[in-house]
Amino acid sequence: MQPHENTGHPRRWAILGVLVVSLLVVVLDNTILNVALRTLADPVHGLGASQGELEWAINSYTLVFAGLLFTFGVLGDRAGRRRFLLIGLVLFGLSSLLSAYAQSPGQLIAARALMGIGGAAIMPVTLSIISNVFDPRERGRAIGVWAGAVGLAVAIGPILGGALLEHFWWGSVFLINVPVVVLGVLLVALLVPESRDPRPGRVDILGVLLSVVGLVALTYGIIDGGEHGFGRPTVWAAILGGVAVLAWFVEHERRSDHPSLDVRLFRVPRFAAPVAIVGLVFFAAMGVMFFSSFYMQLVRGYSPLETGLFFLPFAGAQLVFAPRSAAMVRRYGGRAVATVGLVLTAVALAAFAFIDATTPIWVVLVAFFLQGVGMANIMPPATESIMSALPREKAGVGSAVSNTVRQVAGALGVAVLGSVLSAVYRQDIAATVDSLPAPAREAATESVSGAYAAAAQVGPAAPKLIAAANDAFVSAMHWAAAISAVVAALGILIVLRWMPGRTATATDATPVAERELAATT
């Protein structure tokens, strides 16, 4: 019997390199801005942005990015993935230039929203192009490289941002995108072939609109609740309204004869289980990364650059283990590999429930490394399972679902775990700040960074206030870490119950979901 012919593109590995370059610039921008916030708030060296304006400088990007990911993944399948990638890169580069030279916080917020549009056009098509240029037998390895690049970019963003801010002005954290984008556009134009769905059918206009409105409303509610508390009616109106619109979207797609998303796919374990795992892991991981940055910089006193460097074990683990996960899946099966990855991730997250202000720093580095190894063995098999459930011409849908779930779950993790952190912190520090003047009391009660700012105003009481703030923050961190570990552990149950093992690995031309849906209808 003749071995199966490799159906991949002759230049597939060079194309993967181009896609990684395109992806890096988008993921970097999600993390690089965080280290520049303090500078942007400075009226002399920055823009004099208020706390609310700083929040929207981050959130305008996230809101647009999350809201359009699904739609752009679907439209990329129709209009041409290479074309969407080029348009996204050009828009991202131009808006980065506008961000770098913004003259006011309002201009920066608007430019960041444009960057979100560009990023939403880039990210889903990188994964769908991989599915189209690689043979199914090599796709897992390629997705491992893709996932490793995501993990690497998440970790090196703060390092790069800190290094730039030490030598250049704040706009350099955006300007660095421009030469990368120019290189990406040239390489995409030269190397990446065009691909699209050969039988796209009619555009599901109502479905597209419902997905955008629902995702934007849900993401806005999550972000606003995380920043200002979940006790206000407007937050729940946005969240419940978004959920209601997305429920309408699902019902519409179920009845449509030309759906953007075949919702029957969620009855197929090979598609539904990894989607759930991606959501749970990013909910847990992004929340921990959020509070660990404050822990490193305030409680432990490290600089932004030093804090970024402490994420290198996470990045290194992603870079080394993610590309090798495909070989592990072939040998042991996706269920076994994802289970081990989730156990390592849960253990790493739980470790933060025992870390305090005097814990040796190597313990923290080991926890980051274990988390990196764990996620490197979760994301590639989960993503490969999602993508292999669909035919190549519908790859944008799988990519869009995976990336949308990851983005919304990450925002939800930061919001929910951040709210837990704030609630426990306020409760624990309340007794210490009762005797302080009103302005200092309000600042110290708001956050640990506010307590450090208030300490400069209270004279001899400063050491006691800082010690109390550190203790309250560490206690709050323990609660948030414990919850994140439980969420990751929930993923283990989903994997063991629904994730396919070795016997379900498909290498033929018929997608798994297509066969399983046919068997149930």
Side-chain angles (χ1 to χ4, degrees), residues 131 182 273 321 331 423 438 441 467:
S131 288
V182 171
F321 289 95
R331 184 170 181 179
R441 183 172 65 249

Side-chain angles (χ1 to χ4, degrees), residues 413-426:
V414 171
V416 172
L417 294 177
S419 295
V420 170
L421 194 78
S422 295
V424 176
Y425 170 83
R426 288 168 184 161

Side-chain angles (χ1 to χ4, degrees), residues 145-457:
V145 173
W146 181 91
V150 173
L152 178 65
V154 167
I156 66 175
I159 302 171
L160 181 60
L164 288 170
L165 288 172
E166 284 194 2
H167 298 93
F168 306 102
W169 99 114
W170 64 265
S172 62
V173 301
F174 299 111
L175 200 61
I176 192 68
N177 294 336
V178 176
V180 180
V181 164
V182 171
L183 176 64
V185 168
L186 291 174
L187 292 176
V188 168
L190 290 172
L191 294 175
V192 177
E194 184 60 282
S195 63
R196 56 170 58 87
D197 186 347
R199 297 183 300 277
R202 289 183 290 157
V203 178
D204 178 19
I205 296 176
L206 179 58
V208 165
L209 291 176
L210 289 175
S211 72
V212 173
V213 172
L215 286 169
V216 167
L218 176 61
T219 307
Y220 175 81
I222 291 168
I223 290 172
D224 195 37
E227 297 287 359
H228 305 293
F230 285 92
R232 294 172 301 126
T234 52
V235 170
W236 286 104
I239 291 174
L240 296 177
V243 170
V245 173
L246 291 175
W248 182 8
F249 167 76
V250 170
E251 181 61 21
H252 168 73
E253 297 298 283
R254 194 174 68 83
R255 297 175 180 274
S256 175
D257 58 359
H258 56 288
S260 298
L261 172 64
D262 186 351
V263 294
R264 296 180 305 158
L265 286 167
F266 290 98
R267 288 163 28 199
V268 178
R270 188 181 185 90
F271 184 87
V275 167
I277 295 163
V278 167
L280 291 172
V281 166
F282 269 79
F283 176 97
M286 290 301 103
V288 169
M289 285 191 169
F290 168 75
F291 67 66
S292 62
S293 294
F294 287 96
Y295 166 78
M296 301 298 284
Q297 291 188 57
L298 294 173
V299 177
R300 300 305 292 261
Y302 293 106
S303 70
L305 178 57
E306 290 170 330
T307 299
L309 290 171
F310 284 127
F311 285 102
L312 280 179
F314 175 88
Q318 290 274 306
L319 196 61
V320 171
F321 289 95
R324 289 169 170 75
S325 64
M328 301 297 288
V329 169
R330 284 195 299 272
R331 184 170 181 179
Y332 299 108
R335 181 188 295 137
V337 173
T339 299
V340 171
L342 281 161
V343 168
L344 289 174
T345 302
V347 168
L349 298 177
F352 281 94
F354 301 95
I355 289 170
D356 59 29
T358 59
T359 300
I361 200 64
W362 65 264
V363 175
V364 180
L365 299 180
V366 169
F368 282 142
F369 179 77
L370 284 178
Q371 184 183 347
V373 175
M375 292 184 67
N377 286 287
I378 297 168
M379 299 311 299
T383 306
E384 158 64 6
S385 185
I386 293 168
M387 300 306 290
S388 66
L390 297 165
R392 285 182 172 185
E393 60 270 17
K394 298 291 185 183
V397 174
S399 175
V401 170
S402 174
N403 284 304
T404 301
V405 167
R406 178 168 56 200
Q407 191 69 22
V408 173
L412 186 59
V414 171
V416 172
L417 294 177
S419 295
V420 170
L421 194 78
S422 295
V424 176
Y425 170 83
R426 288 168 184 161
Q427 178 182 314
D428 286 2
I429 203 172
T432 304
V433 301
D434 277 346
S435 59
L436 296 179
R441 183 172 65 249
E442 290 175 8
T445 305
E446 183 65 27
S447 65
V448 65
S449 55
Y452 272 73
Q457 308 168 14

